[in-house]
Amino acid sequence: MKRYLFEKYSIIFFIFITGSLIGFIHENLLAYIQGNYHLKQGLIYEPLIPVYGVGILIFYFLYREVSFSNNKLQNLFKMFIIGFFVGGAFEYLCSLTQEKIFETISWNYAWLKYNLYGRTSLMHSLFWGLSGVGFCLFLLPFYEKSKIILKKKPYKIAIVLMSMLTFLDCSISFIACRRQTDRRNGIEAQNIIEEFLDRHYPDEYLNTIYTNARIPERN
């Protein structure tokens, strides 16, 4: 039973990590092509953007739950529709959650036609739909083959170590950013942990990591 659960966890974590890495590469490559390059990342230390990892996991679980036929073209169209609606809703929810927790936003599509409060738009939903198609064509076969490789002992050890590092990075990144929100609101450090965060993760440092984070304009 434990072995079965660990194998399930291994593929889930592997999908999350690879999805987060793909997001990191995509965001930075896009910034470079646009001619306004600045490092974009979702965590303080690792080159990962976790929101992409979660998005790929959603595609993975939805694909397993939704009934697909033997017609490949129909399956791709169905995944496009799923990606369009679920991806758009997920992007909206991520923007809303970031604003509620950290009082910042990392994107605003208000300048685009057919946007939803600037958090997502028709164009980006189309991109999510195409991402669902790409997931079926390229990532899903890769993940299915990876299940066999991840059963080998060296990869199991790597999964455990990477899990620990990523959990630590996610935790530090979250509390450091949350402490930055408190500083902006004039809240002084209340304990030794918050004093540590103020010393080692000041605003100047975090602003070089989260270059897209902006305080939303209030109407």
Side-chain angles (χ1 to χ4, degrees):
M1 184 62 177
K2 291 182 179 179
R3 181 178 178 181
Y4 171 79
L5 292 176
F6 182 79
E7 289 177 356
K8 287 291 184 182
Y9 170 77
S10 295
I11 187 61
I12 290 173
F13 180 76
F14 182 71
I15 293 171
F16 170 76
I17 285 292
T18 53
S20 300
L21 182 59
I22 289 171
F24 174 82
I25 295 172
H26 166 75
E27 290 286 345
N28 285 276
L29 184 60
L30 186 61
Y32 178 79
I33 293 174
Q34 291 174 340
N36 185 28
Y37 180 75
H38 50 271
L39 184 64
K40 295 183 178 182
Q41 57 193 83
L43 299 177
I44 291 178
Y45 295 109
E46 295 173 290
L48 304 172
I49 300 184
V51 65
Y52 280 87
V54 176
I56 296 297
L57 272 175
I58 291 174
F59 281 159
Y60 179 75
F61 288 121
L62 283 175
Y63 186 88
R64 293 170 62 88
E65 293 298 325
V66 176
S67 176
F68 287 91
S69 66
N70 293 325
N71 189 311
K72 186 175 182 179
L73 188 60
Q74 287 183 356
N75 291 343
L76 293 178
F77 178 74
K78 186 178 290 187
M79 201 63 194
F80 174 83
I81 297 300
I82 291 173
F84 180 91
F85 287 104
V86 176
F90 176 65
E91 186 172 37
Y92 182 95
L93 182 61
C94 287
S95 175
L96 181 62
T97 301
Q98 178 183 342
E99 185 172 354
K100 293 297 183 182
I101 295 177
F102 303 114
E103 299 179 6
T104 61
I105 56 174
S106 292
W107 61 86
N108 186 350
Y109 305 138
W111 55 278
L112 286 172
K113 196 173 183 180
Y114 306 120
N115 72 86
L116 188 59
Y117 301 108
R119 301 187 190 280
T120 190
S121 70
L122 176 62
M123 185 182 76
H124 288 84
S125 291
L126 289 172
F127 287 154
W128 277 104
L130 292 175
S131 297
V133 173
F135 171 82
C136 286
L137 291 176
F138 306 109
L139 290 181
L140 187 61
F142 170 68
Y143 290 140
E144 292 300 319
K145 292 179 181 178
S146 299
K147 289 181 179 180
I148 300 175
I149 299 175
L150 292 174
K151 292 180 180 180
K152 297 180 180 180
K153 188 173 181 179
Y155 293 97
K156 289 182 178 179
I157 296 174
I159 288 292
V160 172
L161 294 177
M162 278 294 298
S163 296
M164 295 170 62
L165 290 174
T166 302
F167 176 79
L168 182 62
D169 198 358
C170 287
S171 300
I172 292 174
S173 300
F174 179 87
I175 63 174
C177 290
R178 190 65 190 84
R179 176 58 195 147
Q180 184 183 37
T181 302
D182 289 341
R183 285 197 298 268
R184 281 198 301 266
N185 292 327
I187 301 176
E188 298 292 334
Q190 303 295 317
N191 51 60
I192 190 172
I193 296 177
E194 292 181 351
E195 291 174 357
F196 174 86
L197 294 172
D198 288 348
R199 285 196 307 271
H200 295 278
Y201 303 98
D203 294 348
E204 296 78 9
Y205 175 67
L206 292 178
N207 290 340
T208 65
I209 301 295
Y210 302 106
T211 55
N212 278 359
R214 299 286 185 273
I215 299 175
E217 297 179 1
R218 304 297 182 186
N219 296 327

